[in-house]
Amino acid sequence: MNNGWLDEIRWTEDGLIPVIAQQENSGRVIMFAWMNKESLQLTAKQGYAVYWSRSRQRLWHKGEESGHRQKVIDIQLDCDEDVILLKVEQEGGIACHTGRESCFYRSLVDGQWQTKDPVLKDPKTIYK
Amino acid sequence: MNNGWLDEIRWTEDGLIPVIAQQENSGRVIMFAWMNKESLQLTAKQGYAVYWSRSRQRLWHKGEESGHRQKVIDIQLDCDEDVILLKVEQEGGIACHTGRESCFYRSLVDGQWQTKDPVLKDPKTIYK
């Protein structure tokens, strides 16, 4: 595959792009992470999400430990060529390291962050 | 309203937080932008999205020129307290400065960014 599409992206100074992961079937936004050029290329090639872990400074094949991989349905780019929207099928139905469906499980209610979503699986049993 | 909820957020070194705007009714992700503390506080208080424009280095009351304001339905926080998901009603049905419903109007197809969404309104008639 021609890689010109990667050069159209306006990477940050650190060579990254923010990525929003959205569940294709439910439309739920489940995660936010970053990719570098290599991880986005791998994501497109392999059909499963590969992020760049800023804390660990290495490629992060989503689900490498948990098994909760994200199958890529669509890769979308915004008007400024500096944000990716990734439509995915979330394997296992759990995207968050807390064992929840989505990382966005809290809402602002009366000036407080209120947890609305249950933990579907104990993280201790997800990560060995 | 108590402002402790603002102190729970882990702001970037620049005092910002990335914000994903999602249309409440359709579930479509329509925009990605940034907020600082003041803009997030105003967003919660006024019930309409106020961003921080990094290019113009000032508060950006979404819709101030276009009239395409975003009514806030829900403010959600992620597991790491460093990303906001904003559920909104997009007035005018146009979030993008190109006159489209969403800023994410291109998909990667056969190694090329392919535009899928029509321009609903000529930007020249949106911005005076």
Side-chain angles (χ1 to χ4, degrees):
Chain A
M1 188 158 70
N2 179 344
N3 282 325
W5 62 278
L6 284 166
D7 298 326
E8 289 181 49
I9 288 173
R10 299 199 301 154
W11 307 91
T12 65
E13 281 180 15
D14 299 330
L16 303 178
I17 188 167
V19 180
I20 303 159
Q22 183 180 28
Q23 227 161 236
E24 168 68 8
N25 54 358
S26 67
R28 181 149 191 195
V29 174
I30 51 178
M31 225 181 79
F32 175 87
W34 296 80
M35 290 187 182
N36 64 3
K37 200 168 181 174
E38 186 185 2
S39 66
L40 180 53
Q41 190 169 17
L42 283 170
T43 297
K45 193 178 167 192
Q46 302 182 345
Y48 284 90
V50 182
Y51 298 102
W52 176 255
S53 169
R54 293 186 305 168
S55 55
R56 288 173 289 180
Q57 288 286 304
R58 66 164 178 86
L59 290 178
W60 164 31
H61 293 256
K62 172 71 182 163
E64 60 194 9
E65 281 184 75
S66 63
H68 297 152
R69 299 189 304 169
Q70 294 177 337
K71 188 179 176 189
V72 175
I73 308 298
D74 197 12
I75 301 176
Q76 302 184 357
L77 184 63
D78 79 327
C79 51
D80 293 327
E81 292 95 21
D82 60 2
V83 185
I84 292 282
L85 175 61
L86 204 63
K87 299 287 199 97
V88 301
E89 266 178 35
Q90 176 61 61
E91 296 185 356
I94 293 173
C96 185
H97 76 286
T98 64
R100 293 182 174 87
E101 180 186 4
S102 165
C103 295
F104 299 91
Y105 57 81
R106 284 178 284 192
S107 282
L108 186 63
V109 181
D110 297 332
Q112 295 202 320
W113 296 111
Q114 199 167 95
T115 296
K116 305 165 307 167
D117 287 8
V119 171
L120 300 176
K121 198 171 173 183
D122 186 340
K124 285 188 207 122
T125 71
I126 299 177
Y127 303 96
K128 276 87 196 173
Chain B
M1 187 158 71
N2 178 346
N3 282 325
W5 62 279
L6 284 166
D7 299 326
E8 290 182 48
I9 288 174
R10 300 199 300 155
W11 306 91
T12 66
E13 282 180 15
D14 299 330
L16 303 178
I17 188 166
V19 180
I20 303 160
Q22 183 181 28
Q23 227 161 238
E24 168 68 8
N25 54 358
S26 67
R28 182 150 190 194
V29 174
I30 51 177
M31 226 181 78
F32 175 88
W34 297 80
M35 288 186 183
N36 64 4
K37 200 168 181 174
E38 185 185 2
S39 66
L40 180 52
Q41 190 170 16
L42 283 171
T43 297
K45 194 178 167 194
Q46 304 182 345
Y48 284 90
V50 181
Y51 298 101
W52 175 256
S53 170
R54 294 187 304 169
S55 56
R56 288 172 289 180
Q57 288 287 304
R58 67 164 177 86
L59 289 178
W60 165 31
H61 292 256
K62 172 69 181 165
E64 60 193 9
E65 281 186 75
S66 63
H68 298 150
R69 298 189 303 170
Q70 294 177 338
K71 188 179 177 189
V72 174
I73 308 298
D74 197 11
I75 301 176
Q76 301 184 357
L77 184 63
D78 79 327
C79 50
D80 293 327
E81 291 95 20
D82 60 3
V83 185
I84 291 282
L85 175 61
L86 203 64
K87 300 287 198 99
V88 300
E89 266 179 34
Q90 175 62 60
E91 296 185 357
I94 294 174
C96 184
H97 76 286
T98 65
R100 292 182 175 88
E101 180 186 4
S102 166
C103 294
F104 299 92
Y105 57 80
R106 284 178 285 193
S107 283
L108 186 62
V109 181
D110 299 332
Q112 295 202 320
W113 296 112
Q114 199 168 94
T115 297
K116 306 165 304 169
D117 286 8
V119 171
L120 301 176
K121 198 169 173 184
D122 185 338
K124 285 186 207 123
T125 70
I126 298 177
Y127 304 95
K128 276 87 195 176

